[in-house]
Amino acid sequence: MILEFDLGNTRCKWRLRDAQAAIVRGHLFTTGHFSELDISLSLYQSEIKSVWCVSVVSETKEQELVDWCKSFLNITPRFARAVKACGGVINGYTEPSKLGADRWLGIVSAHNHFLGPLMLVSFGTAVTVDLVSMNGRHLGGFIAPGVNLMLDSLASRTSRIAIDNFFEVTSLQVGITTNEAVYAALTVMLVGLIDSGAAQLHKMEIEKNIDVVFTGGDAGKFLSLYPEAKLMPDLVLDGLDYVINDPKNAER
């Protein structure tokens, strides 16, 4: 069995799988400790043979995972990093290693799934939009604050704007309450970001069908505005298989 981790800014997603399918999965907050998984994984402890990870957290947090894996499983985890090329994808960054590893795995996974031009939108702590050409070239992307970051910024930097914590995509029209006005503005800003990415990709991939791929914790909230989008919640974890199994591109 393989234990996989996606160590994000807010949450650490994990799943345990065999060669065919996921067996058990879950998440913990990044501020938590990996020992919280001991009970969930104790039944499979002796059967776990590898630990694969993608990470955007600090080296200190990564070391916590390494220490837990060695203590609980007697396994040293392997971390996937962004590189110049992997899985038929060419990294579009001028310094390939600077591309976020989670974005890289999502791009590689999506390209291998759809095999055509695509726009990948990840709705997490940050919202990222990445464009990939027909031949697998990463064309670059956008990075913006995610929904909760924008809401937190308004709440902490203003004194008279009271906002409900739960964000819902309700309308692109102007609001007649504070919540409606804030939510509509955030929706309009993110829709503008996504539509701009799509327009640029259409100019580069003329007369080709373009797949729109959504992933990340808030992705489901935007599906009503993009019914053509494919929701792939495990996209980053799925990318581990491509990167870890490429001997040139995985950290040993």
Side-chain angles (χ1 to χ4, degrees):
M1 291 183 182
I2 302 169
L3 179 60
E4 299 173 320
F5 286 94
D6 176 5
L7 308 184
N9 292 297
T10 303
R11 299 192 308 166
C12 297
K13 292 176 59 179
W14 62 270
R15 72 179 179 188
L16 179 64
R17 68 175 180 86
D18 57 18
Q20 283 75 42
I23 298 164
V24 63
R25 66 177 70 224
H27 75 270
L28 65 154
F29 290 107
T30 303
T31 52
H33 195 276
F34 295 103
S35 60
E36 296 174 33
L37 302 179
D38 289 4
I39 294 176
S40 299
L41 295 173
S42 59
L43 180 65
Y44 312 98
Q45 190 173 7
S46 63
E47 299 177 68
I48 298 172
K49 304 304 179 185
S50 299
V51 180
W52 296 352
C53 313
V54 56
S55 167
V56 297
V57 300
S58 66
E59 292 182 4
T60 299
K61 193 67 185 181
E62 288 185 359
Q63 188 59 48
E64 285 183 23
L65 177 61
V66 171
D67 293 342
W68 175 80
C69 287
K70 289 181 177 179
S71 173
F72 185 68
L73 300 169
N74 196 30
I75 294 172
T76 299
R78 295 163 60 185
F79 289 84
R81 309 295 188 188
V83 292
K84 186 175 180 179
C86 179
V89 180
I90 300 171
N91 193 320
Y93 264 31
T94 53
E95 295 183 65
S97 64
K98 299 296 185 182
L99 178 64
D102 55 344
R103 287 173 65 195
W104 177 238
L105 265 67
I107 291 165
V108 171
S109 180
H111 171 72
N112 279 273
H113 186 89
F114 293 101
L115 299 175
L118 65 91
M119 179 177 65
L120 171 59
V121 187
S122 178
F123 298 86
T125 303
V127 173
T128 61
V129 178
D130 285 291
L131 310 181
V132 184
S133 71
M134 182 76 183
N135 61 5
R137 181 173 291 277
H138 174 228
L139 302 170
F142 298 121
I143 304 174
V147 168
N148 289 328
L149 278 182
M150 289 193 276
L151 290 175
D152 289 346
S153 177
L154 271 176
S156 63
R157 296 301 183 96
T158 58
S159 57
R160 294 194 176 186
I161 296 182
I163 312 165
D164 290 343
N165 289 331
F166 185 74
F167 170 81
E168 290 184 357
V169 174
T170 55
S171 173
L172 297 176
Q173 303 301 313
V174 293
I176 56 173
T177 68
T178 297
N179 273 339
E180 288 179 1
V182 169
Y183 291 173
L186 297 188
T187 304
V188 166
M189 286 190 287
L190 291 176
V191 164
L193 185 71
I194 295 165
D195 288 352
S196 179
Q200 292 187 46
L201 186 55
H202 277 292
K203 288 180 180 178
M204 291 181 274
E205 297 287 350
I206 299 172
E207 297 182 356
K208 293 187 177 71
N209 292 324
I210 291 172
D211 287 300
V212 179
V213 185
F214 281 6
T215 193
D218 284 324
K221 297 176 182 179
F222 289 83
L223 284 175
S224 62
L225 299 175
Y226 294 92
E228 76 279 14
K230 288 83 170 178
L231 180 61
M232 301 187 70
D234 283 346
L235 193 65
V236 173
L237 289 174
D238 290 343
L240 282 166
D241 205 21
Y242 297 102
V243 177
I244 292 290
N245 284 320
D246 187 328
K248 301 187 298 297
N249 298 305
E251 179 182 273
R252 299 292 175 177

